[in-house]
Amino acid sequence: MDPPAPTLQKSLYLCSVVGVVLLVQVGGDLTGNVARNGTATQSSDYLDANNNWNASNAIDGNKTSCSSTKKETNPWWRVDLLKKYRVSSISITNRGDGTFSSIDAAEIHIGNSLLNNPKCAIISNITEGMTQTFPCYEMQGQYVSIHIPGEHKSLCLCEVEIYGILNDSLTGNCSSTSSLSHEYHFVDQNKTWTEAQSYCRQKYTDLATIDNTEDMNRLMETGNSGFKTAWIGLKKDKMQGKWQWSDLNNCSFRKWDVEQPDNDYENEECVEIRMKTSFWHDRNCNDKMPFFCHHDQLILIDENKTWWDARSYCRQNHKDLVSVTSEKVQRWVEAKAKKASTPHVWLGLRYSSFYTWPCVRGDPTCYHNWAPGNGTFMDTCDENAVGRFGAVQRDGPHQWVGLPDTEQLNFICSV
Ligand SMILES: *[C@@H]1O[C@H](CO)[C@@H](O)[C@H](O)[C@H]1NC(C)=O
Ligand SMILES: *[C@@H]1O[C@H](CO)[C@@H](O)[C@H](O)[C@H]1NC(C)=O
Ligand SMILES: *[C@@H]1O[C@H](CO)[C@@H](O)[C@H](O)[C@H]1NC(C)=O
Ligand SMILES: *[C@@H]1O[C@H](CO)[C@@H](O)[C@H](O)[C@H]1NC(C)=O
Ligand SMILES: *[C@@H]1O[C@H](CO)[C@@H](O)[C@H](O)[C@H]1NC(C)=O
Ligand SMILES: *[C@@H]1O[C@H](CO)[C@@H](O)[C@H](O)[C@H]1NC(C)=O
Ligand SMILES: *[C@@H]1O[C@H](CO)[C@@H](O)[C@H](O)[C@H]1NC(C)=O
Ligand SMILES: *[C@@H]1O[C@H](CO)[C@@H](O)[C@H](O)[C@H]1NC(C)=O
Ligand SMILES: *[C@@H]1O[C@H](CO)[C@@H](O)[C@H](O)[C@H]1NC(C)=O
Ligand SMILES: *[C@@H]1O[C@H](CO)[C@@H](O)[C@H](O)[C@H]1NC(C)=O
């Protein structure tokens, strides 16, 4: 059966909501609904004796009060967020009072001009009374507009929720350690994003992850061979509705160019860096270009050795057994340790009458992550006392425990 044609008569009924469904599970760093603080306007106000269908009704937090335009050509609704936001997602609630008022084919745009902003999504099939969420992947703008192209259309919106953070907050530096920062490699071969990712994972750690301005500068220096554009390790995660680093780093440092990402040619799901400006653009993952890999400076050795043998191995083949001197290095160690085949993984930690354990003497600046009961002062006279060698747990909280040298474990070298 075809739904009844829209009539003005029918819009007399209040919109009502029968339920809420999230069609896309949008995760990540969503903060509050920033639409609530905006000011809304629309192409025309539909008015009737009982209700006021003004534009503000779509951002009042009440899903049973709705905005509606009159029937007209290309009706639109718009909210001014007053500041520039990076929008992660937009949720739209359709009317659900049995009145057919299709908002299918309505387009959602985000940007800084009143007209002609980049498109986040087209509403294709939103059920009556339902809320649907559209990921917008950090599109930037002060204005969010919704319009239905065509003649004799009215635009009715019961709630528009906009989730995002202020533009300025996305460029913040993530912390890194001076001793173990990312080491970048420029690969001058034309590959798709996925091919590039495989190459980096084979030869290095992963496609480049960038934590801060310093990383950015070092990366640009290694690529100093006249490339135009090159892949970095950022890609859309459609399940989570957000950009995700290839190595699962959670850092939200970004260097988007103006009006980027814009999904200009559709399917722009990967990120390139431009040589001239060093700004980032979204781009079709199947395009081929050079790329940046990074190298973590830590390596997990999946061999079972005693602590002393492990240390010799690291010193011969790499630098040393890893010293965990900060939270950041601890996080890298955790990422490596998770892949170990033994329940503990050796670290460069040894209790001796010369060193004791790090932090035992109570230096407050000293980083440690001992499991309860471990890392305490021991009788230094007994060289064979159990638990004189430090390892990190593969599972759970990844704390440090003291174990005897005779344990045969995987280990992590600094390289
Ligand atoms: C809206 O504005 C109020 C008052 O300025 C502020 O406290 C609140 O955090 C704002 N809400 C959002 C989601 O930005
Ligand atoms: C919009 O309509 C609501 C009631 O539906 C009313 O409370 C509000 O004052 C109106 N806002 C404007 C700007 O007219
Ligand atoms: C939501 O809007 C409806 C329709 O305007 C109104 O009847 C209801 O009281 C409102 N709910 C709240 C909590 O304001
Ligand atoms: C629209 O959504 C409904 C309910 O979610 C579904 O039954 C229907 O097949 C969908 N139609 C199209 C054209 O996708
Ligand atoms: C977004 O924030 C960045 C970092 O603060 C700033 O450089 C850029 O100019 C901002 N963009 C706009 C359009 O305001
Ligand atoms: C990030 O670090 C760079 C260099 O260390 C500094 O110039 C810049 O102001 C920092 N940006 C933020 C948002 O803290
Ligand atoms: C990669 O492609 C560009 C443009 O198609 C070409 O100019 C360049 O020589 C190619 N580079 C390599 C290493 O094949
Ligand atoms: C990133 O965040 C998720 C969820 O907050 C967490 O489970 C994951 O361990 C984090 N990844 C890293 C590398 O810190
Ligand atoms: C190391 O030991 C673990 C279990 O203790 C075992 O599963 C793994 O196969 C061993 N690895 C090697 C390379 O022998
Ligand atoms: C060290 O920590 C582990 C794991 O929590 C615990 O099983 C063990 O008993 C601790 N060692 C001592 C000496 O308390």
Side-chain angles (χ1 to χ4, degrees):
M1 275 275 263
D2 284 334
T7 63
L8 282 184
Q9 199 59 36
K10 290 223 167 155
S11 1
L12 285 170
Y13 301 113
L14 266 188
C15 300
S16 70
V17 170
V18 295
V20 170
V21 64
L22 285 184
L23 295 186
V24 182
Q25 193 58 49
V26 177
D29 44 4
L30 301 185
T31 52
N33 171 11
V34 298
R36 293 297 306 278
N37 279 3
T39 53
T41 172
Q42 60 190 4
S43 50
S44 64
D45 285 347
Y46 175 67
L47 285 167
D48 65 43
N50 303 315
N51 294 297
N52 182 340
W53 299 81
N54 70 41
S56 319
N57 286 316
I59 52 168
D60 61 358
N62 180 344
K63 291 181 178 177
T64 61
S65 73
C66 310
S67 72
S68 182
T69 66
K70 292 174 182 158
K71 246 191 206 180
E72 58 182 318
T73 302
N74 303 330
W76 54 263
W77 176 96
R78 182 177 65 224
V79 61
D80 177 355
L81 302 172
L82 309 177
K83 284 182 180 159
K84 290 167 180 139
Y85 285 88
R86 288 279 171 189
V87 176
S88 48
S89 71
I90 296 181
S91 298
I92 309 268
T93 302
N94 197 8
R95 66 186 302 177
D97 57 355
T99 305
F100 182 72
S101 168
S102 177
I103 53 172
D104 289 353
E107 300 186 1
I108 306 172
H109 291 251
I110 303 172
N112 291 316
S113 69
L114 293 175
L115 300 163
N116 296 329
N117 286 319
K119 181 165 65 199
C120 160
I122 299 180
I123 300 172
S124 62
N125 182 23
I126 180 165
T127 315
E128 279 183 48
M130 291 295 169
T131 301
Q132 193 170 344
T133 299
F134 303 90
C136 296
Y137 298 99
E138 299 174 13
M139 281 176 68
Q140 190 249 349
Q142 179 174 343
Y143 301 101
V144 171
S145 61
I146 298 169
H147 76 272
I148 306 183
E151 293 178 356
H152 300 294
K153 305 274 185 188
S154 65
L155 175 60
C156 175
L157 298 164
C158 293
E159 198 64 22
V160 178
E161 297 160 75
I162 301 170
Y163 295 94
I165 57 179
L166 279 174
N167 167 56
D168 296 356
S169 6
L170 253 184
T171 45
N173 295 322
C174 296
S175 67
S176 76
T177 54
S178 48
S179 59
L180 285 165
S181 44
H182 300 300
E183 185 186 298
Y184 295 106
H185 298 270
F186 177 68
V187 182
D188 195 6
Q189 297 179 24
N190 290 325
K191 290 189 186 294
T192 66
W193 191 92
T194 309
E195 289 165 358
Q197 184 192 45
S198 308
Y199 182 98
C200 290
R201 285 183 173 174
Q202 236 164 43
K203 301 249 173 176
Y204 304 100
T205 304
D206 213 322
L207 261 176
T209 205
I210 302 169
D211 282 348
N212 48 45
T213 311
E214 280 172 26
D215 277 0
M216 220 13 242
N217 294 341
R218 273 185 297 105
L219 177 136
M220 289 309 284
E221 280 163 21
T222 58
N224 212 353
S225 63
F227 72 95
K228 271 196 199 140
T229 65
W231 293 125
I232 56 172
L234 199 59
K235 188 179 196 281
K236 276 181 187 173
D237 178 338
K238 294 220 142 189
M239 290 299 292
Q240 293 199 69
K242 63 174 189 176
W243 292 99
Q244 177 71 63
W245 290 104
S246 177
D247 70 346
L248 303 182
N249 171 15
N250 286 336
C251 178
S252 63
F253 175 81
R254 301 285 190 265
K255 209 178 172 208
W256 294 119
D257 207 342
V258 179
E259 300 222 334
Q260 293 286 330
D262 62 359
N263 200 23
D264 206 8
Y265 298 99
E266 315 283 332
N267 301 319
E268 296 199 334
E269 295 179 4
C270 293
V271 176
E272 69 178 14
I273 206 160
R274 298 210 168 163
M275 172 66 185
K276 260 195 191 147
T277 58
S278 84
F279 280 114
W280 306 359
H281 286 240
D282 55 352
R283 177 88 180 240
N284 188 313
C285 306
N286 294 322
D287 291 346
K288 297 195 174 195
M289 64 178 88
F291 50 97
F292 288 97
C293 305
H294 80 90
H295 201 39
D296 259 357
Q297 307 193 7
L298 289 186
I299 185 168
L300 172 76
I301 310 294
D302 188 10
E303 291 182 30
N304 298 333
K305 294 191 184 297
T306 65
W307 189 90
W308 290 106
D309 289 349
R311 194 178 72 163
S312 303
Y313 179 99
C314 287
R315 289 186 173 180
Q316 259 167 36
N317 297 289
H318 303 285
K319 259 189 204 148
D320 208 338
L321 265 178
V322 63
S323 294
V324 186
T325 50
S326 68
E327 175 92 43
K328 173 92 175 190
V329 182
Q330 169 70 19
R331 278 202 287 121
W332 289 4
V333 160
E334 288 173 8
K336 298 284 172 202
K338 279 179 191 160
K339 297 175 186 157
S341 59
T342 52
H344 295 99
V345 179
W346 288 128
L347 303 174
L349 271 172
R350 175 167 68 105
Y351 190 99
S352 80
S353 41
F354 302 112
Y355 305 126
T356 76
W357 293 119
C359 304
V360 165
R361 303 253 181 249
D363 174 358
T365 64
C366 176
Y367 179 80
H368 71 89
N369 192 20
W370 289 108
N374 291 264
T376 53
F377 190 73
M378 292 195 292
D379 174 7
T380 53
C381 297
D382 180 3
E383 274 294 325
N384 294 316
V386 294
R388 291 178 157 274
F389 299 87
V392 65
Q393 297 165 336
R394 174 189 60 197
D395 308 307
H398 305 290
Q399 289 173 313
W400 306 350
V401 296
L403 295 173
D405 165 56
T406 50
E407 293 263 332
Q408 308 239 337
L409 303 178
N410 287 182
F411 51 99
I412 295 171
C413 304
S414 51
V415 298

